[in-house]
Amino acid sequence: METQNQIPENVKKQLKNIKGFYGHLTSFCIVIPVLIVVNLSLMPEFQWFWFSLIGWGIGLFFHYLEAFQKMPRFMKDIEEEQMKKYTQGWTNPSQIPAQLKAEIAFEVENKVKKLRGFYGHLTAYLLVNIVVVISQLSEGEVLNLGMFNLAIWWGFGVVAHAVSVFGANLFFNEAWEQRKIEEFMRKSDRQ
């Protein structure tokens, strides 16, 4: 049997992710039935447990994709794009020193993990709020601002999450800079 030191880092990391997923799944399988029982016992006329089940289920699904390395292609593209951005300036990426390459890989991995978290959060936000509005409309409620309370308050959290992931680049990215440069150049040409 191999000792802990002989196991490659990526294998250790994947094993840790899989264990984390199973812990998450166990929590889900214990808590959701309890919520269903509490909801149906105390307030059967409004089945709010669906919000927890769907929201948490989406998060669990994304955790599964990450733990078992089944993330969609677009996330791999983002990872490759980030790697190119960090190694920009090197004519031959194979000449990058091992220590620097490890640091770059760590940075890219953290950036992609934050992006995955944000996209999972955004997906859960959209799906849960669509279900909430549709369920309220199907019960005969008239479309009103009160229907969107969850979307509004949770929306603040989504915006805060976006700012924490994208920082100032969320609004003032390279495309914005390029547009401003072109705009200022046009104005200076007219003068």
Side-chain angles (χ1 to χ4, degrees), residues 43 45-47 51 131-150:
M43 212 170 140
E45 64 279 357
F46 179 66
Q47 296 180 354
F51 305 127
V131 168
V132 167
V133 170
I134 289 173
S135 69
Q136 289 177 341
L137 289 173
S138 70
E139 291 176 2
E141 283 193 43
V142 178
L143 192 63
N144 62 55
L145 187 60
M147 257 184 214
F148 299 99
N149 278 335
L150 176 65

Side-chain angles (χ1 to χ4, degrees), residues 153-185:
W153 292 107
W154 190 357
F156 289 127
V158 171
V159 169
H161 195 170
V163 169
S164 76
V165 171
F166 299 104
N169 291 337
L170 179 62
F171 302 107
F172 305 111
N173 57 20
E174 291 172 16
W176 176 85
E177 282 183 23
Q178 189 60 39
R179 284 193 309 272
K180 285 298 178 188
I181 290 169
E182 291 169 5
E183 179 184 321
F184 292 142
M185 289 175 68

Side-chain angles (χ1 to χ4, degrees), residues 109-124:
E109 187 178 305
N110 283 338
K111 178 86 172 173
V112 171
K113 188 177 270 189
K114 287 179 181 179
L115 287 169
R116 282 183 190 146
F118 171 72
Y119 290 131
H121 187 184
L122 182 63
T123 302

Side-chain angles (χ1 to χ4, degrees), residues 7-68:
I7 300 172
E9 278 304 310
N10 62 333
V11 173
K12 288 179 189 177
K13 185 178 160 207
Q14 186 177 4
L15 182 60
K16 183 179 177 183
N17 284 340
I18 291 171
K19 285 168 68 176
F21 167 74
Y22 283 126
H24 191 178
L25 179 63
T26 302
S27 299
F28 180 84
C29 291
I30 292 169
V31 173
I32 292 297
V34 170
L35 290 178
I36 292 170
V37 169
V38 168
N39 179 201
L40 296 179
S41 300
L42 300 177
M43 212 170 140
E45 64 279 357
F46 179 66
Q47 296 180 354
W48 51 260
F49 71 85
W50 288 107
F51 305 127
S52 302
L53 184 116
I54 293 169
W56 194 350
I58 291 168
L60 187 64
F61 174 71
F62 275 94
H63 197 168
Y64 164 80
L65 292 177
E66 184 178 347
F68 292 97

